[in-house]
Amino acid sequence: TSSSAASDVYKRQDQLRYFLLREVTLGQDGDFSEKSFIKRVNSDLSNNLGNLIQRTLKLLEKHFDNKIPSKISELKNVEILFDTYKLATLVKPKIENFEYNKALESILNQIDQLNQFIDNEKPWESLKKNDLSKASETLSTLIECFRVIAVILIPFIPDSAKKIPSPFMGWRLVRLNVPKGYLGVFHPLNKKKD
């Protein structure tokens, strides 16, 4: 029915907005197909970002009582943190030049780096070795990076970005001392499309 179709479009607003901003250069013609839409949403939002967040939260829930175990001031993974903090300065001029696809490309590149970071750090192996300190640092670093990325993504996918878990999601991109605290319930960023 038309009402159910309208409801489905409403639920997919962020996904449609993301696809168009990612795939179409402003002022130029672009192609749209359901196949390319599903592929892009699944690849970028569900697989790349959504799965990374879920992997991180499952470890925090199971081993740290769903808490952020380390303060930001205690973290030593400064390179990945500063690269994520610098993302705003990379994205801003692209937005100002209406290069939304390039802005999103920069964001996705940093998310790729976060996926590589968790694969290199292997917090699940640290936990098996009972090295809670190393696992704590890795997972807390990721949560802080998610907070920054959530803020940067709000202009592009506002509803989805607000689902990214961060109990202290203030608008300042750099905070020197975040208290330890509970994470909220994570609702999947985007359900995978078939």
Side-chain angles (χ1 to χ4, degrees), residues 148-162:
V148 175
I149 285 174
V151 173
I152 295 171
L153 278 174
I154 282 176
F156 302 100
I157 48 172
D159 293 335
S160 298
K162 291 170 186 175

Side-chain angles (χ1 to χ4, degrees), residues 41-57:
V41 168
N42 284 346
S43 173
D44 290 359
L45 299 183
S46 298
N47 296 339
N48 205 3
L49 180 57
N51 284 350
L52 173 63
I53 293 172
Q54 287 183 320
R55 291 167 70 192
T56 303
L57 293 187

Side-chain angles (χ1 to χ4, degrees), residues 91-137:
V91 169
K92 182 180 178 182
K94 293 172 184 176
I95 293 176
E96 291 173 343
N97 290 328
F98 306 105
E99 298 174 326
Y100 303 122
N101 56 335
K102 292 183 179 179
L104 285 169
E105 184 178 351
S106 295
I107 296 169
L108 265 292
N109 286 340
Q110 187 58 31
I111 294 169
D112 285 339
Q113 292 301 311
L114 295 179
N115 274 289
Q116 185 176 341
F117 173 74
I118 195 174
D119 288 340
N120 289 340
E121 294 296 315
K122 298 180 174 61
W124 49 89
E125 290 189 4
S126 299
L127 290 165
K128 286 180 181 178
K129 297 174 183 176
N130 206 31
D131 188 350
L132 295 181
S133 177
K134 187 174 189 300
S136 164
E137 179 168 330

Side-chain angles (χ1 to χ4, degrees), residues 18-53:
Y18 178 84
F19 175 83
L20 293 175
L21 292 173
R22 182 81 165 90
E23 292 290 326
V24 181
T25 301
L26 193 67
Q28 298 183 11
D29 292 336
D31 294 323
F32 176 86
S33 70
E34 186 176 5
K35 183 177 180 180
S36 59
F37 169 71
I38 290 172
K39 182 178 180 181
R40 174 59 71 185
V41 168
N42 284 346
S43 173
D44 290 359
L45 299 183
S46 298
N47 296 339
N48 205 3
L49 180 57
N51 284 350
L52 173 63
I53 293 172

